[in-house]
Amino acid sequence: MICLILAMAAGIVLGFLARKDRRLSHVGKAISVTIYAMLFFLGVKIGADRDLLSNLSTLGLQALVLAVAGVTGSVLAAFVLYRLMFRKDSGVQ
Amino acid sequence: MKGTLAVVAVFIAGCIAGWSGVIDLSSLGETGKDLPMYILYLLIFLVGVSMGCNPDLKRIFRSANPRLLLLPLAVIAGTLAFSALACLVLPKWSVTGCLAVGSGMGYYSLSSVLISQYMEPSLGVRLAAELGTIALLTNIFREMFTLLAAPLLNRFFGPFAVIASAGVTAIDVCLPVILRNSGNNILPAALISGIVTDFSVPFLVPFFCSLG
């Protein structure tokens, strides 16, 4: 855990120091590539587990519950915030 | 949408590789087992770099109405509160597990890989991979729902609703539907909400995972 915090802190410092460097515009692509690599390995772990693979629809159902919960909660909170603080403004800007 | 398809394709390719036995992580010895961990270090480092060198951040916060910062806070609080409630109907998972999935905020690729790694010590390889997959699907569903329901959300819950539902994707995938449905003057709100929630993911997901 502490190593991961250090890795992120090192990245933030380095990114800030080198923020003028043009090459940093590719960092988004590099993030995508590492995410793809990790997603592939997540897939490998799941694919290697036959029981888990046959339960994929159960996982989908649980994901649906959590997705509905997340959307409902955030939309209600944003709705309340808008009614309380922003509706009187003519523009939201 | 193209990005989502790519993510799903890579994930399925991994499943097939694991299922067919083409790639067997345990046969690679210690290095093979730790490989995803090393990639995670690289990923976290790169996320840090992208935060450190982001020039838009200061400009956006200076130019816009500071009250707009309340929007991402409301989005995060609302998502987490209801994700915790969802745990009542998902007895298999702890509150912190549900909160970890919810705090993905629509960033399905990052949240799923973070959860599958960070949850490994407390849940074991198998359950961690299971929860990671749930996070992947949950946050993909969130994006799809936002894209499909944007007009209804805007009509019944006001112009912030589409941004809230989009979460992280308010700055990329869902931005066009937000602008189309809520008008172009909603742009600063969408950018601030998208960027702040985006930055919260690499902090909140590991935080809830570390609580077990």
Side-chain angles (χ1 to χ4, degrees):
Chain A
M1 191 70 188
I2 191 81
C3 290
L4 283 160
I5 295 168
L6 288 176
M8 182 181 272
I12 292 174
V13 171
L14 201 81
F16 184 73
L17 292 176
R19 64 190 180 282
K20 298 267 157 66
D21 195 320
R22 280 283 166 86
R23 280 170 295 179
L24 283 184
S25 58
H26 299 299
V27 75
K29 253 178 242 159
I31 290 175
S32 300
V33 171
T34 45
I35 286 180
Y36 283 144
M38 291 200 64
L39 272 171
F40 182 79
F41 284 117
L42 177 59
V44 170
K45 277 187 221 165
I46 288 167
D49 194 326
R50 305 278 147 135
D51 292 340
L52 218 170
L53 212 55
S54 60
N55 283 332
L56 217 51
S57 58
T58 329
L59 296 188
L61 197 64
Q62 297 172 62
L64 199 61
V65 171
L66 281 161
V68 169
V71 167
T72 310
S74 63
V75 166
L76 287 180
F79 178 61
V80 170
L81 180 74
Y82 183 73
R83 293 292 287 256
L84 287 179
M85 296 196 63
F86 289 90
R87 200 160 58 148
K88 284 179 221 115
D89 301 359
S90 50
V92 192
Q93 179 111 29
Chain B
M1 208 61 212
K2 220 174 91 192
T4 315
L5 288 178
V7 163
V8 173
V10 169
F11 177 72
I12 291 175
C15 286
I16 293 171
W19 175 75
S20 62
V22 172
I23 294 179
D24 186 0
L25 285 180
S26 54
S27 73
L28 294 171
E30 281 305 305
T31 346
K33 252 187 273 168
D34 293 339
L35 192 59
M37 197 66 197
Y38 294 132
I39 303 174
L40 179 66
Y41 281 121
L42 179 65
L43 174 64
I44 288 292
F45 173 76
L46 289 172
V47 168
V49 171
S50 75
M51 284 181 180
C53 72
N54 195 326
D56 304 326
L57 207 59
K58 230 158 69 180
R59 210 173 47 214
I60 283 170
F61 285 110
R62 208 181 292 152
S63 67
N65 182 346
R67 280 191 303 169
L68 282 181
L69 278 173
L70 291 171
L71 177 57
L73 297 183
V75 171
I76 293 170
T79 304
L80 293 182
F82 274 67
S83 298
L85 283 180
C87 150
L88 295 174
V89 290
L90 301 172
K92 188 170 178 183
W93 307 106
S94 62
V95 182
T96 47
C98 292
L99 286 170
V101 173
S103 56
M105 301 293 158
Y107 201 160
Y108 45 81
S109 54
L110 183 62
S111 64
S112 59
V113 296
L114 288 180
I115 287 173
S116 66
Q117 283 299 313
Y118 280 106
M119 279 296 195
E120 228 180 81
S122 57
L123 291 180
V125 178
R126 182 173 172 197
L127 283 177
E130 213 170 296
L131 195 61
T133 307
I134 290 178
L136 180 74
L137 295 172
T138 297
N139 290 297
I140 286 179
F141 288 160
R142 185 167 176 165
E143 178 184 298
M144 284 173 166
F145 176 80
T146 307
L147 291 172
L148 294 173
L152 294 174
L153 287 172
N154 183 61
R155 189 184 314 154
F156 292 108
F157 297 100
F160 283 175
V162 193
I163 296 174
S165 175
V168 168
T169 56
I171 40 167
D172 42 56
V173 182
C174 292
L175 187 57
V177 296
I178 290 171
L179 297 180
R180 199 187 314 142
N181 289 285
S182 309
N184 278 329
N185 62 352
I186 204 77
L187 182 66
L191 293 180
I192 287 187
S193 183
I195 288 174
V196 174
T197 48
D198 189 44
F199 276 24
S200 76
V201 174
F203 293 104
L204 288 177
V205 173
F207 172 70
F208 288 122
C209 291
S210 72
L211 296 178

